[in-house]
Amino acid sequence: MPLPYRGRGSRLASSRVASTSVHSPRRAGRGAPWSSHALRLTRRRHSSEQVPPGPEPQADFRSGKWLQEHAGGDARDSQQTARAAMGSRHRICSQEEVVIPCDPDNDSGSVDLQLSNLEDIKKDPSSLELTDSDIFDITGLSQESFIDSFRHLTQQGPVSEANVERLIQSIQEVFNGELQSEFEKLTFLRSLSSLSQTLPYDETTESFIHSHITDIVHVLNMLIEEEPLHSLFSSVRQEVFITIANLSYQDIHLLFGSEDRADLFSLITKSIITLPSVETLIQLQEIMPSGSYNTECLYRQTFQAFSEMLQSLVVKDPHLENLDTIFKQMDPWLQSTKDHERERATASMAQVLKCLSRHLSLKLPLRFQRLGHFVALMALLCGDSVTEVAEEAAEGMHCLLHVTLRLKCTIYDKKNHPNLRRAMKKCQELLELYSIKQFYSCPFKIAQIFEAFLNSNELFQFVMTTLDGLENLKHPCTQKSAGELLITMVKNAESRFEKVPEIMGVICARLSIISQPRVRRQIINTVSLFISRPKYTDIVIGHLLCHPVPYDRHLAELWRTLEVELPSTTWILWRLLRKLQKCHNEPTHEKMAYVAVALLMTLLIQIHHSIGLTMSDVAVPSGLYTGQEMSSEVTPLCFAIQATKSLLLRTLCWQEFNIMEKNKGWTLLEGKECHLQGVSLLANALLERNHLLAQKVMYLLVPLLNRGNDKHKLTSAGFFVELLQSPVARRLPSIYSIVRLKDWLHHGNRVFKFLALRGLRYLIKHQDMREDIRSLLPCILDLLCETDEKIVLLAIQILLQLVGTMDFTTLTAMMKTLFTLFGDVRSDVHRLSMTLFGASIKSVKYTDKKGVENQVLDSLVPLLLYSQDENDAVAEESRQVLTICAQFLKWKLPQEVYCKDPWYISPSEAGTVCKFFGKKCQGKVNLLAQTLMFSKNAKLPIRRAAVLFVGLLLKYVDCSELRTKGTDWIENEIISIDLHLQPGFCGHLDLKALLHDPEPSLCIIASQALFRVQKVGAEPDSRQSIPG
């Protein structure tokens, strides 16, 4: 069945008139009409006016004549006629001018101010009733009746019942089938548009469409999805927009009311807004020719149809719920980073506002609740870097002002009419000062005008949207506009704001991204305005004090550069002091809010900085000590300590205060070398008595750890590390825990290394963190060679936790390093190094035992001799590790090894031990050479045991080998052995020198040993006690 060309509905069909220009009678009486520059630009960019018409004759489809003439004709002829009618050049490059439902030439881009009508308002703002004429006088918009605005939307004549049946049948077939070709798609859409003409008088049509809205929406959705987003070679989009508009004029809304309709709205909006720029589309046409289509013309007609579709939605929108839906759809595109997308969205919204302002007939309740956001967004666009966007936005702002005035007149009750009149008077006075062009090119003037009409919630929306504009780093001019709008709105709205904490939070967050000095100054001045108003002073102070102290450079700059008058400064300082003093009034479980926590850390850091300072090193405020002489005992450190004590007492931290006093914590804090011990004591007291507060402090300290100088960082780090004992420390992201501690391990300051190891020791108890800590093994092993005893001890303690997870290479390397620590003068290092050595032996896998056997054998003599150490803990640990070595070698040690009496008291027991090791180590270890290394050990018990052991060993060595080598090397020569095997070795290893030792017991034992050596050398027939 041949289908009619289209049924855009009589409204749209008749709206296509040639070069229509209608001027408002009201405006005609006031002066010469003028044509909006921005609107002309809109037409040039988004309509077909500038495209030359095609040469083909134009079919007249603006009435029902064509439909009536061809409905019953030959099917083949009808099909050919329909195809001809749908020719792209006929459909797209028409000589007709597309006219939107509101007559744009009636609109104005510069307000013709008729102040005479408002003289009475100036004299007595409350003496007159508020009328629409007042509104039109202010905005310059002509007043046109709602009925007159539809004068071009009249019916052209009825369609026959038979044709209606045919249209319904053809549409029904599509619901049950598929649309393959472009011709079929266009036929369906135009049939649906034609059918919409009959809705006012045909019940069958009305019933059919209402019962098949879901099907229609589904088909339209499918058609749009099939259209490519990167190109425009079809008029299907255009026909979809026309069809939706036609149905909207008949109160059939396909884009509102359900989720699938909302999805369709979103899809069609995206399909037109995200098309490539016109220049790109033209280039694509050159690369991929599209037959008879003119891409540029097709685009402009399609966009015009989209604009008409949006306008059709607001022609009857008494509650503004359609406007609300349109704005939600367009909002992200109005903020797009792509210029052509932003321009399309702005042009569309400008036309919607223009149409709405002409057909506005508001009724309660109003559904549009985002006026503040809308005004701010359009105001930001007025300062856009793209001229076309700015001009379109300015045109839209003009109409938005009219809509806002009508909206406020509708919702204001009678008792608030004086307020509205005052607002309108202010608006009028401002418009007297600015020409409309200047008004829209200066964002702060927009804020001045609209401020009077926005309520507190809308003001909050305005400010938050403006603050979002500060994030636009691509377009600095948007940041500039945002700064102007913000400072102007806050300055004019005075104390009508709500949700100031939220505003302050966003301002503080945005400071770091604002690079323009002027804009930064405006933002900080905004904070100054808020804090200087008594209503907001406590709110702003509370918010700023909740930030971690000391502040980052942006917040510090904010505090430093606040600009308030002297009376306000006095008020602000008084409120600040009261805020700090009232910390103790908080509930028990919240006894120290973040403000007190931050202050505590600030005071601890100040204590560190004050150590060693005198009052001459600081500036004392004039008049502080008027009439009294400053005590010579007063120092900056004294002040800092007293302030810290006061803070703990005023915040009810009595238990923590008591712990500090009992353990001399205040004295520790004052010491240059022990300051961190005092910090650690306070942190542990907090962790023990108030773990919830300790957790707050831990999170607070995270951003402080890399700020300030070393004194600042060390105090923060010392407190932070102790708090890692808390169970919640495992929740910290590794970048704030393990990674931070790793950085400190490589720090040049040994205190940071110590703190890093201390923190790792606390964290290693969490199994899920051990793997990350294990990756730090190479760095921790290097710290075994540190000269700082505390660092070495902490490293060993951590390695004791990880020794079971080490690979063989790491294990053997660590055992070699530990062997060098045997005999270390630092007794705790000596003891723990042996403990870790024993643990390492236990951790060796069976398959790797051969690889460490020599290391174990080399450790026997040192361990045996150190079992005679004067330090009972070291001696006991030596015996324990010696047992582990014996088990590794599968030896059973004699009980005499565990005797705690010195060998020189029980020579028989020493002989038994010597005999056992002489037998077991023969051919494996040079026991005699190893033992001689200890004859000059710094400790007397070790020297004595070594000399005694040498004398006893001579009974069990190979005498023939001794005669061959001689005994001089034992008596008075330096033994050529790697000295690294015994760090305690010093001087020559000759026994003769020991005969002159001041210790008598050592002289006697040395003479006995020397006698045995000489005897072995003099008696060639000496026999071995133990055969080889």
Side-chain angles (χ1 to χ4, degrees), residues 224 228-229 237 241 266-275:
I224 293 295
L229 290 175
R237 277 190 187 89
F241 301 153
S266 177
L267 182 63
I268 64 176
T269 303
K270 181 180 179 182
S271 74
I272 183 68
I273 299 293
T274 60
L275 281 174

Side-chain angles (χ1 to χ4, degrees), residues 198-469:
T198 66
L199 277 168
Y201 57 84
D202 192 287
E203 294 182 359
T204 303
T205 300
E206 184 178 8
S207 174
F208 173 78
I209 290 182
H210 277 289
S211 62
H212 289 84
I213 285 181
T214 302
D215 296 323
I216 294 171
V217 169
H218 173 72
V219 174
L220 296 182
N221 194 82
M222 178 189 66
L223 293 177
I224 293 295
E225 283 183 338
E226 291 175 356
E227 291 297 298
L229 290 175
H230 63 277
S231 60
L232 183 64
F233 295 139
S234 161
S235 60
V236 171
R237 277 190 187 89
Q238 179 185 354
E239 288 299 332
V240 169
F241 301 153
I242 291 172
T243 300
I244 294 173
N246 285 330
L247 289 168
S248 296
Y249 283 126
Q250 304 296 342
D251 295 326
I252 304 292
H253 294 293
L254 301 183
L255 305 180
F256 308 136
S258 64
E259 185 176 349
D260 57 337
R261 299 186 200 184
D263 291 341
L264 175 60
F265 198 174
S266 177
L267 182 63
I268 64 176
T269 303
K270 181 180 179 182
S271 74
I272 183 68
I273 299 293
T274 60
L275 281 174
S277 64
V278 177
E279 293 76 12
T280 304
L281 289 173
I282 293 173
Q283 291 173 3
L284 284 173
Q285 186 182 30
E286 293 173 355
I287 298 171
M288 298 180 293
S290 55
S292 58
Y293 283 108
N294 181 313
T295 300
E296 182 178 4
C297 186
L298 177 59
Y299 162 74
R300 299 192 188 284
Q301 287 281 21
T302 303
F303 186 85
Q304 187 72 11
F306 174 73
S307 180
E308 291 181 20
M309 179 199 74
L310 294 181
Q311 293 169 65
S312 71
L313 304 176
V314 297
V315 168
K316 296 180 182 179
D317 191 15
H319 304 291
L320 296 184
E321 53 188 336
N322 294 353
L323 175 65
D324 186 66
T325 303
I326 293 172
F327 181 52
K328 287 177 182 177
Q329 290 290 342
M330 302 302 293
D331 192 355
W333 305 113
L334 291 168
Q335 302 178 67
S336 173
T337 56
K338 296 180 179 179
D339 293 344
H340 65 277
E341 291 181 354
R342 203 166 58 257
E343 182 187 353
R344 288 168 185 164
T346 307
S348 300
M349 284 308 304
Q351 295 301 318
V352 168
L353 289 169
K354 196 183 306 295
C355 179
L356 179 65
S357 67
R358 295 298 305 278
H359 302 302
L360 205 58
S361 179
L362 298 179
K363 296 179 182 178
L364 294 176
L366 297 179
R367 309 294 186 188
F368 188 65
Q369 303 297 328
R370 305 209 304 165
L371 180 61
H373 176 51
F374 197 4
V375 171
L377 189 53
M378 294 298 288
L380 287 172
L381 290 169
C382 285
D384 199 277
S385 57
V386 179
T387 304
E388 290 80 0
V389 174
E391 290 173 340
E392 296 286 2
E395 194 72 21
M397 286 297 295
H398 181 205
C399 299
L400 183 56
L401 178 57
H402 172 230
V403 173
T404 301
L405 290 170
R406 290 290 296 274
L407 185 151
K408 295 301 178 179
C409 287
T410 303
I411 63 175
Y412 269 58
D413 52 31
K414 289 186 178 180
K415 65 179 181 180
N416 284 324
H417 264 209
N419 295 333
L420 181 58
R421 282 187 170 279
R422 282 192 292 271
M424 293 183 65
K425 181 182 178 182
K426 180 180 178 181
C427 173
Q428 177 67 26
E429 289 172 348
L430 289 169
L431 289 176
E432 286 182 29
L433 300 176
Y434 316 134
S435 70
I436 201 68
K437 184 175 182 181
Q438 183 186 18
F439 169 69
Y440 289 123
S441 63
C442 299
F444 78 91
K445 296 173 183 176
I446 298 175
Q448 283 180 313
I449 293 294
F450 278 90
E451 173 272 323
F453 301 106
L454 301 181
N455 60 33
S456 57
N457 184 55
E458 291 163 350
L459 285 172
F460 173 73
Q461 294 175 4
F462 184 97
V463 170
M464 297 301 281
T465 304
T466 305
L467 289 172
D468 289 341

Side-chain angles (χ1 to χ4, degrees), residues 34 53 132 189 229 376 459 479:
W34 66 284
D132 281 351
L189 292 169
L229 290 175
L459 285 172
Q479 263 198 6

Side-chain angles (χ1 to χ4, degrees), residues 698-796:
M698 181 175 66
Y699 287 108
L700 170 83
L701 284 171
V702 169
L704 292 178
L705 297 175
N706 280 337
R707 294 183 192 165
N709 57 23
D710 276 356
K711 286 185 178 180
H712 183 158
K713 292 177 182 177
L714 282 172
T715 302
S716 302
F719 212 104
F720 175 76
V721 163
E722 294 306 316
L723 298 181
L724 291 178
Q725 299 175 76
S726 170
V728 300
R730 64 191 302 176
R731 301 178 191 167
L732 281 174
S734 62
I735 191 173
Y736 300 132
S737 54
I738 303 295
V739 175
R740 181 66 52 80
L741 297 178
K742 178 183 177 181
D743 293 341
W744 291 348
L745 287 175
H746 295 92
H747 201 283
N749 190 328
R750 286 188 300 180
V751 181
F752 277 106
K753 293 180 180 179
F754 167 75
L755 292 175
L757 290 170
R758 195 171 177 88
L760 291 173
R761 189 185 67 177
Y762 294 144
L763 294 177
I764 203 168
K765 65 184 179 182
H766 302 299
Q767 291 293 332
D768 53 339
M769 303 186 81
R770 287 199 171 192
E771 187 61 31
D772 290 335
I773 297 176
R774 199 168 74 87
S775 66
L776 305 179
L777 272 175
C779 185
I780 298 174
L781 287 173
D782 290 341
L783 295 177
L784 292 175
C785 301
E786 280 281 340
T787 56
D788 190 312
E789 179 180 5
K790 293 184 291 185
I791 291 177
V792 178
L793 290 177
L794 281 172
I796 292 175

Side-chain angles (χ1 to χ4, degrees), residues 659-670 678-679 681:
I659 291 173
M660 290 293 288
E661 266 200 348
K662 278 189 174 181
N663 295 277
K664 299 182 179 179
W666 304 117
T667 304
L668 291 173
L669 282 175
E670 293 175 351
V679 171
L681 179 63

